[in-house]
Amino acid sequence: GNSVTQMEGPVTLSEEAFLTINCTYTATGYPSLFWYVQYPGEGLQLLLKATKADDKGSNKGFEATYRKETTSFHLEKGSVQVSDSAVYFCALGGPYNQGGKLIFGQGTELSVKP
Amino acid sequence: DTEVTQTPKHLVMGMTNKKSLKCEQHMGHRAMYWYKQKAKKPPELMFVYSYEKLSINESVPSRFSPECPNSSLLNLHLHALQPEDSALYLCASSPPVGGGPGYTFGSGTRLTVV
């Protein structure tokens, strides 16, 4: 079945460091891919998405490219801030018709120190 | 309106109580979801409604009873819960066909069962 694997955390970085959080997936068909962020005590916010191969999603300095050949959707940011401290979830969306499931990776906790 | 609104934000209930969680969206989405999330873990799918009909029940105990009165509203009725049911309950919605903005999550109801 479909699945998502994320790199384990927690990840601790200094402010202005480069961030990569790895995400790989297994899926049949042509899923959409998402990164969600969850700040402490809050719900999930969509950070970025990509709906087909070679699409690049970007938002708030974060980027991820849908790589079908490597089945990956790694999250990157060139310079992290303390305010980026959160849990990041990679997710795979099933078919939209009839209410597709959203399959999550295990989450990666990011802590950015001043 | 691009939001999913959940009420209440916090709920404390005894094991003999009956309570309801509410979710509302006005984005015209025809698929709505309930997820349960434990701290720092990925959300777990509970129910999916598509066009106001229950399409997926992930073997959730009967003490959780979903209801979709119309295309904008989703309820989760709670009865005789256990302390291990304490969690963040997230509602989400999505367009059922053709992609679009993807899944939108509410900020959740933090439930404590005492």
Side-chain angles (χ1 to χ4, degrees), chain B residues 39-104:
Chain B
K40 297 184 180 178
K41 296 293 187 183
E44 300 171 7
L45 182 65
M46 301 174 72
F47 303 104
V48 180
Y49 273 83
S50 181
Y51 291 95
E52 294 98 71
K53 293 191 190 309
L54 184 65
S55 60
I56 297 176
N57 176 343
E58 292 286 289
S59 302
V60 178
S62 60
R63 58 186 183 269
F64 295 92
S65 176
E67 178 195 22
C68 191
N70 59 55
S71 61
S72 298
L73 294 175
L74 184 67
N75 297 322
L76 185 64
H77 302 298
L78 314 173
H79 173 54
L81 295 193
Q82 303 298 309
E84 59 265 28
D85 296 321
S86 299
L88 181 67
Y89 288 84
L90 294 164
C91 175
S93 69
S94 73
V97 177
Y103 300 77
T104 302

Side-chain angles (χ1 to χ4, degrees), chain B residues 1-4 24-30 72 93-94 101 104:
Chain B
D1 189 350
T2 58
E3 289 186 346
V4 172
E24 188 168 4
Q25 58 89 14
H26 296 287
M27 294 177 281
H29 289 174
R30 301 310 295 272
S72 298
S93 69
S94 73
T104 302

Side-chain angles (χ1 to χ4, degrees), chain A residues 50-66:
Chain A
T51 57
K52 62 183 186 297
D54 299 325
D55 267 2
K56 177 186 280 189
S58 61
N59 186 25
K60 299 181 182 179
F62 291 90
E63 293 183 341
T65 301
Y66 188 159

Side-chain angles (χ1 to χ4, degrees), chain A residues 21-91:
Chain A
I21 300 178
N22 289 339
C23 172
T24 57
Y25 68 90
T26 302
T28 55
Y30 302 95
S32 294
L33 297 171
F34 306 87
W35 277 100
Y36 282 88
V37 58
Q38 188 170 33
Y39 298 102
E42 298 186 8
L44 271 71
Q45 297 178 24
L46 178 64
L47 183 59
L48 52 84
K49 72 179 181 80
T51 57
K52 62 183 186 297
D54 299 325
D55 267 2
K56 177 186 280 189
S58 61
N59 186 25
K60 299 181 182 179
F62 291 90
E63 293 183 341
T65 301
Y66 188 159
R67 302 280 188 204
K68 196 165 177 64
E69 64 276 13
T70 54
T71 62
S72 65
F73 193 55
H74 303 323
L75 182 68
E76 296 182 336
K77 187 176 185 183
S79 176
V80 293
Q81 305 300 312
V82 173
S83 57
D84 294 326
S85 298
V87 180
Y88 292 80
F89 292 99
C90 184

